[in-house]
Amino acid sequence: DVVMTQSPLSLPVTLGQPASISCRSSQSLVYSDGNTYLNWFQQRPGQSPRRLIYKVSNRDSGVPDRFSGSGSGTDFTLKISRVEAEDVGVYYCMQGTHWPPGLTFGGGTKVEIK
Amino acid sequence: QVTLRESGPALVKPTQTLTLTCTFSGFSLSTSGMCVSWIRQPPGKALEWLALIDWDDDKYYSTSLKTRLTISKDTSKNQVVLTMTNMDPVDTATYYCARGCHEGVDYWGQGTLVTVSS
């Protein structure tokens, strides 16, 4: 099965400063249809996950434009241009390309304010 | 709007079978391209995908848990049911249902915490 590896595990950030999270897959995430099914989720404390980004770089409706996704093949990045207090939480990447057997999540990156 | 809600027991004993129900609205599982997944999260740990059922009644399971899982749907009731046999304390987790096929999971339920303890 494909393995998704996120780094760092924890990311202390100063308010207003940028943040960057890396997600690497053990195999290329390019699907047979040419798309790359890599999603990013935000999970605020005590809440359900919320999808931010789909297919590497497409923001979901209502997601602030300070969030952006990039990457290709096996290396992907989620960037927050200027961290706000409401961005505190754990961020997960998830692949849906290697289907079946199933969806695979990264281990998560905890974003906190310094 | 799309909503999903999980329901089931908060506490199960080891070796028992867990049955969870996902009741959803705002979409139909009889619509081509629609799917519902079950995903769980042990306390303080990462998300783990468990199973998915699609509009065509195709079912997919986590490789590591497939011998213990069964997913089914009742399209008329807008419900998806997950059963997990032989529960163990390591299965203690918040269980979520979510809409979406392998391309991407967009809407999630609030989750239901299941504790496995004697």
Side-chain angles (χ1 to χ4, degrees):
Chain A
D1 290 4
V2 64
V3 176
M4 306 295 289
T5 303
Q6 286 184 234
S7 61
L9 211 59
S10 177
L11 183 57
V13 187
T14 301
L15 286 173
Q17 293 301 302
S20 181
I21 299 169
S22 170
C23 175
R24 289 185 172 168
S25 59
S26 59
Q27 302 174 47
S28 172
L29 295 188
V30 179
Y31 193 57
S32 54
D33 64 3
N35 288 306
T36 298
Y37 294 115
L38 187 283
N39 296 253
W40 287 99
F41 296 89
Q42 173 196 61
Q43 188 175 31
R44 291 170 171 154
Q47 295 187 13
S48 303
R50 165 201 182 195
R51 195 175 70 179
L52 301 175
I53 302 284
Y54 61 97
K55 286 196 291 184
V56 181
S57 59
N58 297 274
R59 262 191 312 274
D60 274 277
S61 175
V63 174
D65 60 8
R66 63 179 182 275
F67 289 95
S68 64
S70 63
S72 63
T74 60
D75 289 346
F76 304 92
T77 303
L78 177 70
K79 291 183 179 175
I80 310 174
S81 59
R82 292 174 304 280
V83 172
E84 298 189 5
E86 66 178 18
D87 300 336
V88 165
V90 181
Y91 291 78
Y92 295 95
C93 59
M94 185 206 81
Q95 73 83 27
T97 290
H98 292 276
W99 180 266
L103 309 177
T104 314
F105 290 91
T109 295
K110 186 175 184 178
V111 172
E112 54 189 11
I113 305 300
K114 277 184 186 174
Chain B
Q1 88 261 27
V2 174
T3 65
L4 302 99
R5 186 182 75 251
E6 307 85 355
S7 58
L11 179 67
V12 298
K13 290 180 167 43
T15 75
Q16 285 187 336
T17 293
L18 170 69
T19 299
L20 295 172
T21 301
C22 175
T23 304
F24 56 86
S25 63
F27 67 98
S28 173
L29 245 187
S30 60
T31 301
S32 178
M34 284 295 170
C35 308
V36 169
S37 275
W38 282 96
I39 296 157
R40 72 178 179 180
Q41 185 174 38
K45 295 188 177 181
L47 300 163
E48 178 186 19
W49 175 80
L50 300 176
L52 179 150
I53 190 165
D54 71 15
W55 74 98
D56 209 22
D57 208 34
D58 291 320
K59 300 159 188 175
Y60 303 88
Y61 298 100
S62 161
T63 304
S64 60
L65 292 168
K66 62 182 177 182
T67 60
R68 299 173 54 205
L69 297 173
T70 303
I71 192 170
S72 62
K73 64 181 174 74
D74 185 331
T75 305
S76 65
K77 292 183 179 179
N78 280 350
Q79 290 182 333
V80 171
V81 174
L82 180 76
T83 62
M84 180 180 289
T85 61
N86 195 24
M87 293 293 284
D88 183 272
V90 300
D91 297 313
T92 293
T94 296
Y95 287 75
Y96 296 98
C97 61
R99 185 187 80 160
C101 300
H102 77 98
E103 298 90 342
V105 175
D106 52 7
Y107 291 91
W108 296 62
Q110 66 196 21
T112 185
L113 175 62
V114 178
T115 300
V116 185
S117 175
S118 54

